[in-house]
Amino acid sequence: MITIILLLCLYPPVLGEEYGNLEFNDNIDKIFSDLEPDSVGHRVPRQVNKLESKPHIIDFKVKTTIISRYAFTAVSCTMINRVSAAKEGVFQIQIPATAYISNFTMIIGGRVFPSEVREKEKKHKGKKKETKKPGNGAKADNIESEMETFRIAASIPGKNKATFLLAYEELLQRRLGKYEHVTSVRPQQLVSKLSVEVNIVEHSEITYLETPQLRNGRTSSSTNTANPNSKPEAPLSTVVNRTKTTCKVTFSPNIMQQARIARNGMLGDFVVRYDVERELGIGDIQVLNGYFVHYFAPKDLPAVPKNVVFVIDTSASMVGTKIRQTKEALFTILKDLRPEDHFNIVSFSNRIKVWQQGKLVPVTPDNIRDAKKFIYLLSPSGGTNINGGIQTGAALLSDYKANHRRTQGSVSLIIFLTDGRPTVGETQSSNILSNTKEAVQEQSCLFSIGIGNDVDYRLLERMALENCGMMRRIYEDADARTMLKGFYDEIGTPLLSDIHIDYTEDTVEYVTQKLFTNYFNGSEIVIAGKLSDQSTDSLHVQMKASNSDKSIMLEMDVPLQDKAKEVEKNIKSLVNTTTEKDYIERLWGYLSVKELLQSRLRSESSRERETLSDQAKNLSLTYNFVTPVTSMVIEQPDIQMDKPRDDDADDADPLDEEHREKPQSLHRNTKQPDVSVKKPEKKIIISKTSADGDPHFVVDFPLSKMAVCFNINGEPGDVLRLVTDHKNSGVTVNGKLVGAPAPVNSHKKQRTYFSTITIMVSKPQRSYIEITPRKVILDSKDRMVLPCDKTSAVERDGLAVSIVGKSNITVTVQGSVSFVILVHHYKNPAPYQRDHLGFYISSSKGLSSDSHGLLGQFLYQEVSITEMPVNVTIHESLLNGTKSNQEPQSPSTALKLKDRLVPAVKKQRKIHSGRHQVDCWFVKNNAAKLIDGVYQDYVVSHLFDTATGSDMSNEL
């Protein structure tokens, strides 16, 4: 029975030694002794059976593509169970708390377990497990963690592999003038293949980039105080390649380098920080597919004077490190106050103490000295009167503003710090919230800071959200001094207040937040919206704000069509998946869900909360986001694990990458259901459109009455996208390459063949077909393993599989899409030969005109023959590295496809195992210019990839 446990918690677990040292084999021990001979005192006898019985991670990859601050991250973790008995494998990774999971899939023993995002229900029945994000049902102390831990445990059959695929999305926030992306690299053991890749694609020039040393512990991203002019040393094995607007950062330490960092595999956080050039005026507006995003981050403005009251918890629980670090942070913060600022300090426990009664004082050397003396003498004691402290601080600001009219151009802030829950005075959270709102009266912004694990973080978050502030969490064991100072630095320099950004009413709809109380230096305002009409030519944007006692107004007419073309051109060759190409729409969905959930948190009406929840739920389901109002569900079928059949035995090493593991027949019933064994007709209808042999591709253009052919020189292990029509017909076809040495005297370095073909069908229900030269695995409601050397057929739910033993397999979907896979076996193979498959499209009637892939993109296209001008021919020869020193020549032949001219030569190609010969126009250089993009764009992350999430294989 496969056991699935899916947890999403907020505290990273404390990992013991037994978890961190899964792979202390002889090789690793040797590495350690070579690296640090002095630090290894003595060898402890290895507990071989206990340690090696746990599944071992053999591949851990994280790939992120950041497009204009919006990040798509895909994680792939493959582990292997080397023993014969089933063992539990645990996949665990920390993800940013602000991120939304958008996809999760498990592939265990060759069987695919996809997830589904559903509406969250109050009670769940049946065999389902869900992920959970913090929401109304979560614990109150699970709010505003910097990172969350995603964890799943699953039973892995003996001598089998399991692959866990996780995708999530987030909008990077700008803090202290930098965007920061964090990747947790903590596989909990040393991994032979470990890589992190961060690709950045920006509209504006990247002006700053750094990859600091791996970060461990709980350090807030706001504590970045790096000097922009400094060049911090990057982690071992980090490689950075950048252009003006793009950057690719890779981190791929080998086992020895991992061991130098952490022997238990807990390497830390891989951090990439960057910033971009700012457009003067109204900001940067990007448009794509009917949606827009507006980035506004002005600079070079004078700081707005601020009125700030520090409200500090001095209850008995603050004794020791907490109060010491708080005092040290306040000493530093006081030095950073500007001469035009005014301030005061309030401490609260059982009693409320005010440094300067009834007033705010200006920043002078004497006042700073006296304030430090007051802070130094603070002594923790008594209970926690949160309500009294906030009321006193708010009253000081209100009285000051009422008595000083010149404060109109200033910004008023309450910085509130506590480490506990209310125990003295008013202790009811609802009353504290209403009292705070009434006292602040929208005249100030409240920024709350919680230290440790005993804080009511939901209360602090609501207090901040309801009073135009934000909340920050400081962990019990964190450097509170640095984090406090970092948080103050974020809000210590207000540049604008009362910001109103408006757009032409009849041009946009569903726009995210447009009113902002303050804009702080080093941050960024991000607004996204949907255009009412994509054909609209112009969008009028107006921004009004205050800077001290001055009013600022900026206006601009944005040329929408030009902006859309500009964005499309910028991402066309750099972004490959459909999901990523819709980044502005998904960014809008992400922001909209965040704001709806914040509005729900602030709401005092149950009816309004229900309406907001429904709106957030609908958007979450639309974009497949796991949020507090949705759940990610993995069906847990009743699966029986049978031993491998004798006819499935293989002499090859089951752990060899060139061979699949021994198949496990996993199904609900002990016998194969509805399999009719018969001899299908030997004659099969196959079109010329195919990928067979080395692999040689042939594309038939029946309307043009011609065929085109090309080769793809991929790498062994590459998985190529052959056909994809997932959004329409629900069909996707991938093929995996296996390598072989090239024949003697061949111009090729190696040969590649298709060793596996997978066909994924999502309509009317999900089905997966995996085909190798030896077997066909059909995974639908039940799982069937059919041998390729025996004739059989099966049909169910609109999906038919027909096998002609030792010859071919025909897969038919809904009667309108048909593929034929030829099986090539060698009795006495030469060194350069491998058993392999050939893929042919028999019928494509059911595939839509939006189909793509190496073959799918041509199904509804026409091609014609033309002549290529001489100058273009010479240019092509130069690009190909050939000399063109002959006399003026006649134009060469070219294909015209999608307004592209593609050089081609006449050739003949054999198909159908050499029984047929096709006259075709051959295109060189991996089908350059014939296919959209380059062939690397068609390399996907795994055999069951349907391109519905972040694609791990995209390259910049």
Side-chain angles (χ1 to χ4, degrees):
M1 184 73 70
I2 285 185
T3 305
I4 300 172
I5 306 168
L6 204 55
L7 301 174
L8 191 63
C9 54
L10 290 166
Y11 291 113
V14 178
L15 297 168
E17 285 298 316
E18 74 169 75
Y19 223 130
N21 298 305
L22 296 180
E23 280 298 304
F24 278 90
N25 54 30
D26 291 329
N27 293 330
I28 302 304
D29 285 338
K30 184 179 184 301
I31 290 173
F32 290 159
S33 61
D34 290 343
L35 282 174
E36 299 175 340
D38 297 333
S39 64
V40 181
H42 60 280
R43 295 283 296 275
V44 179
R46 294 189 302 126
Q47 300 179 24
V48 177
N49 292 335
K50 179 180 178 181
L51 295 178
E52 294 188 352
S53 66
K54 294 184 179 181
H56 172 53
I57 298 175
I58 58 174
D59 196 352
F60 182 85
K61 296 178 182 176
V62 184
K63 179 169 181 178
T64 297
T65 301
I66 304 170
I67 313 170
S68 292
R69 293 72 137 177
Y70 194 69
F72 298 86
T73 299
V75 184
S76 173
C77 177
T78 300
M79 57 184 69
I80 191 165
N81 179 10
R82 300 181 185 274
V83 300
S84 300
K87 293 293 179 180
E88 183 181 77
V90 178
F91 168 59
Q92 179 170 298
I93 188 169
Q94 293 179 5
I95 67 174
T98 56
Y100 286 150
I101 293 172
S102 56
N103 194 20
F104 178 69
T105 302
M106 298 187 299
I107 306 172
I108 301 177
R111 182 167 187 181
V112 180
F113 293 88
S115 63
E116 182 181 354
V117 177
R118 299 180 183 176
E119 175 184 357
K120 179 173 283 187
E121 300 175 2
K122 293 182 179 179
K123 293 182 180 180
H124 300 280
K125 298 179 181 180
K127 294 184 177 181
K128 303 174 185 175
K129 300 294 177 183
E130 299 182 354
T131 67
K132 295 183 180 179
K133 295 282 284 185
N136 284 344
K139 294 181 180 179
D141 59 359
N142 284 352
I143 298 298
E144 196 56 37
S145 168
E146 286 289 321
M147 303 291 282
E148 294 178 347
T149 299
F150 178 93
R151 183 181 187 274
I152 182 168
S155 179
I156 304 175
K159 301 290 184 180
N160 263 288
K161 296 178 184 177
T163 299
F164 301 91
L165 305 167
L166 176 70
Y168 58 86
E169 302 172 22
E170 61 175 318
L171 176 65
L172 302 185
Q173 298 179 9
R174 189 168 183 256
R175 294 178 178 176
L176 301 176
K178 306 291 182 294
Y179 303 103
E180 180 176 278
H181 182 268
V182 180
T183 304
S184 177
V185 190
R186 296 175 173 87
Q188 302 171 13
Q189 57 185 261
L190 301 180
V191 181
S192 58
K193 294 182 180 179
L194 185 149
S195 67
V196 177
E197 181 179 320
V198 179
N199 299 307
I200 303 172
V201 181
E202 281 292 341
H203 183 69
S204 304
E205 180 181 356
I206 298 173
T207 58
Y208 176 84
L209 178 75
E210 72 166 342
T211 53
Q213 284 294 315
L214 294 173
R215 188 170 68 193
N216 279 289
R218 291 161 172 170
T219 304
S220 171
S221 58
S222 65
T223 62
N224 171 26
T225 57
N227 183 349
N229 298 319
S230 65
K231 296 290 183 182
E233 184 181 354
L236 285 170
S237 79
T238 301
V239 177
V240 178
N241 296 304
R242 59 186 293 187
T243 65
K244 186 176 180 180
T245 60
T246 67
C247 180
K248 179 179 179 179
V249 182
T250 57
F251 171 63
S252 51
N254 56 36
I255 285 187
M256 182 176 292
Q257 291 168 329
Q258 294 173 46
R260 289 174 185 167
I261 300 169
R263 297 183 180 183
N264 61 1
M266 304 293 285
L267 305 187
D269 292 328
F270 182 74
V271 179
V272 176
R273 297 191 188 106
Y274 76 98
D275 199 23
V276 299
E277 184 65 39
R278 303 282 148 198
E279 292 189 14
L280 297 176
I282 205 73
D284 179 21
I285 297 177
Q286 300 177 26
V287 183
L288 187 65
N289 299 333
Y291 291 83
F292 75 91
V293 60
H294 184 182
Y295 299 102
F296 182 61
K299 59 180 181 178
D300 299 328
L301 293 171
V304 176
K306 61 181 177 291
N307 314 307
V308 57
V309 176
F310 300 94
V311 181
I312 308 301
D313 186 348
T314 56
S315 61
S317 58
M318 287 285 291
V319 71
T321 302
K322 292 179 185 177
I323 193 65
R324 177 179 56 80
Q325 291 188 339
T326 299
K327 289 180 178 182
E328 291 172 352
L330 286 172
F331 291 156
T332 306
I333 290 170
L334 289 176
K335 293 179 183 178
D336 291 342
L337 291 175
R338 294 181 176 83
E340 62 271 19
D341 295 339
H342 291 75
F343 73 108
N344 203 339
I345 304 168
V346 175
S347 70
F348 67 93
S349 55
N350 283 43
R351 297 188 304 157
I352 309 296
K353 294 181 180 180
V354 180
W355 170 51
Q356 296 286 341
Q357 288 290 339
K359 61 182 179 181
L360 268 64
V361 300
V363 176
T364 65
D366 289 343
N367 286 337
I368 294 296
R369 182 197 62 217
D370 292 345
K372 287 183 177 180
K373 187 182 298 183
F374 175 80
I375 293 169
Y376 178 78
L377 294 174
L378 292 177
S379 178
S381 64
T384 308
N385 188 352
I386 288 177
N387 185 73
I390 292 178
Q391 295 294 308
T392 303
L396 284 169
L397 281 172
S398 297
D399 292 345
Y400 177 75
K401 295 189 72 172
N403 297 326
H404 297 79
R405 293 188 177 182
R406 67 177 184 275
T407 63
Q408 277 190 341
S410 62
V411 169
S412 296
L413 311 175
I414 299 174
I415 298 179
F416 172 78
L417 181 145
T418 184
D419 76 330
R421 299 171 181 267
T423 60
V424 177
E426 180 58 66
T427 58
Q428 291 295 321
S429 296
S430 57
N431 293 339
I432 294 174
L433 288 169
S434 59
N435 292 344
T436 300
K437 196 170 184 179
E438 184 178 349
V440 172
Q441 295 180 349
E442 299 183 355
Q443 296 183 25
S444 309
C445 290
L446 189 150
F447 296 85
S448 55
I449 304 165
I451 301 180
N453 301 327
D454 298 325
V455 182
D456 187 345
Y457 284 102
R458 182 167 297 280
L459 172 62
L460 264 59
E461 185 180 45
R462 284 199 62 180
M463 282 197 306
L465 287 176
E466 290 180 1
N467 298 282
C468 70
M470 57 184 175
M471 189 270 289
R472 189 61 48 83
R473 174 177 189 159
I474 298 177
Y475 291 96
E476 192 80 44
D477 55 353
D479 182 356
R481 173 189 175 181
T482 304
M483 295 183 73
L484 276 170
K485 179 60 171 63
F487 183 57
Y488 173 79
D489 288 343
E490 290 183 49
I491 62 175
T493 309
L495 298 183
L496 294 174
S497 60
D498 299 324
I499 304 111
H500 296 246
I501 301 179
D502 293 309
Y503 308 90
T504 313
E505 288 187 7
D506 58 351
T507 306
V508 299
E509 56 185 359
Y510 307 119
V511 180
T512 57
Q513 181 182 347
K514 299 185 296 180
L515 307 178
F516 302 88
T517 307
N518 299 304
Y519 166 75
F520 298 100
N521 188 38
S523 64
E524 183 174 57
I525 290 173
V526 183
I527 304 171
K530 183 178 181 181
L531 298 174
S532 304
D533 185 357
Q534 292 193 41
S535 62
T536 303
D537 293 327
S538 179
L539 173 66
H540 185 74
V541 184
Q542 183 184 77
M543 190 281 299
K544 296 180 181 178
S546 297
N547 175 259
S548 297
D549 56 350
K550 299 176 183 177
S551 294
I552 297 175
M553 186 173 76
L554 299 173
E555 291 186 275
M556 181 180 180
D557 289 319
V558 180
L560 294 177
Q561 301 306 317
D562 292 343
K563 285 285 186 181
K565 291 178 182 177
E566 191 178 337
V567 172
E568 287 175 2
K569 181 180 179 182
N570 186 41
I571 68 171
K572 184 176 182 180
S573 61
L574 302 174
V575 178
N576 299 303
T577 66
T578 302
T579 301
E580 291 172 357
K581 287 181 178 177
D582 291 332
Y583 76 95
I584 295 182
E585 179 183 350
R586 296 189 70 84
L587 188 157
W588 170 81
Y590 173 94
L591 278 181
S592 297
V593 172
K594 290 281 184 185
E595 291 181 4
L596 287 167
L597 293 175
Q598 288 183 353
S599 297
R600 184 186 73 162
L601 191 61
R602 291 193 299 263
S603 176
E604 298 178 0
S605 165
S606 58
R607 179 175 296 181
E608 183 183 25
R609 283 197 297 271
E610 185 176 349
T611 301
L612 293 168
S613 294
D614 287 342
Q615 293 174 350
K617 174 199 68 181
N618 292 335
L619 273 178
S620 300
L621 294 175
T622 299
Y623 295 103
N624 213 56
F625 290 153
V626 179
T627 69
V629 290
T630 57
S631 299
M632 180 167 278
V633 179
I634 295 182
E635 297 292 342
Q636 183 181 323
D638 189 12
I639 297 174
Q640 178 179 341
M641 293 186 294
D642 297 336
K643 293 182 179 180
R645 301 195 304 265
D646 292 339
D647 60 350
D648 283 330
D650 195 334
D651 294 332
D653 182 356
L655 307 183
D656 189 344
E657 287 296 316
E658 293 291 327
H659 298 272
R660 298 285 303 198
E661 55 271 11
K662 293 183 180 179
Q664 297 286 329
S665 180
L666 305 179
H667 52 82
R668 294 186 181 185
N669 303 310
T670 54
K671 81 176 192 178
Q672 303 275 20
D674 302 329
V675 180
S676 56
V677 178
K678 58 183 181 181
K679 288 190 176 182
E681 295 182 8
K682 287 270 184 178
K683 184 179 179 180
I684 55 176
I685 301 174
I686 313 179
S687 76
K688 299 174 186 176
T689 301
S690 59
D692 204 347
D694 188 10
H696 303 310
F697 287 75
V698 177
V699 179
D700 186 27
F701 293 89
L703 296 177
S704 305
K705 296 182 180 180
M706 70 173 68
V708 176
C709 48
F710 57 92
N711 296 341
I712 291 295
N713 297 318
E715 294 294 329
D718 283 354
V719 179
L720 303 182
R721 173 85 78 234
L722 301 178
V723 178
T724 176
D725 190 32
H726 192 76
K727 283 191 173 182
N728 297 290
S729 64
V731 176
T732 301
V733 182
N734 297 329
K736 184 176 182 179
L737 297 177
V738 64
V744 180
N745 299 324
S746 172
H747 67 281
K748 290 187 175 183
K749 294 182 179 179
Q750 64 180 356
R751 282 191 165 189
T752 52
Y753 305 91
F754 283 119
S755 63
T756 309
I757 299 287
T758 53
I759 302 171
M760 284 70 68
V761 181
S762 63
K763 299 175 182 179
Q765 68 176 36
R766 286 177 176 157
S767 299
Y768 305 86
I769 302 172
E770 182 178 356
I771 302 169
T772 70
R774 294 181 56 254
K775 63 182 180 294
V776 177
I777 301 175
L778 172 59
D779 203 341
S780 184
K781 288 182 178 178
D782 300 286
R783 177 181 169 94
M784 288 174 286
V785 180
L786 306 174
C788 290
D789 60 351
K790 297 178 182 178
T791 299
S792 61
V794 62
E795 184 173 353
R796 60 170 61 187
D797 299 324
L799 186 66
V801 178
S802 178
I803 301 175
V804 176
K806 300 180 180 180
S807 177
N808 62 77
I809 300 102
T810 301
V811 178
T812 305
V813 182
Q814 297 295 313
S816 59
V817 179
S818 186
F819 306 120
V820 175
I821 294 88
L822 300 188
V823 181
H824 300 285
H825 278 291
Y826 297 96
K827 291 183 179 179
N828 299 299
Y832 56 84
Q833 293 176 325
R834 293 283 187 273
D835 289 349
H836 65 278
L837 304 172
F839 174 75
Y840 293 78
I841 299 178
S842 177
S843 174
S844 59
K845 293 179 181 179
L847 297 174
S848 76
S849 58
D850 293 330
S851 298
H852 212 265
L854 285 169
L855 292 174
Q857 62 186 295
F858 301 112
L859 294 177
Y860 291 88
Q861 297 294 328
E862 293 186 39
V863 67
S864 60
I865 298 293
T866 185
E867 291 184 343
M868 181 170 285
V870 174
N871 60 339
V872 177
T873 305
I874 295 174
H875 179 67
E876 290 292 338
S877 67
L878 291 174
L879 287 177
N880 294 331
T882 60
K883 295 183 179 180
S884 181
N885 53 8
Q886 69 252 27
E887 295 297 322
Q889 54 189 320
S890 59
S892 63
T893 304
L895 304 175
K896 188 174 183 181
L897 177 74
K898 297 181 181 178
D899 297 326
R900 299 193 294 258
L901 289 180
V902 187
V905 295
K906 196 72 174 177
K907 198 170 185 178
Q908 287 186 329
R909 176 151 286 179
K910 293 182 179 180
I911 59 173
H912 303 178
S913 300
R915 290 192 291 269
H916 299 279
Q917 190 164 282
V918 177
D919 293 325
C920 60
W921 290 95
F922 179 72
V923 179
K924 300 179 181 180
N925 300 327
N926 285 320
K929 292 189 176 181
L930 178 70
I931 59 175
D932 295 335
V934 294
Y935 95 89
Q936 289 91 343
D937 298 339
Y938 300 85
V939 178
V940 298
S941 59
H942 56 90
L943 277 166
F944 298 95
D945 191 331
T946 58
T948 56
S950 184
D951 191 343
M952 300 253 331
S953 60
N954 299 331
E955 300 291 339
L956 276 176

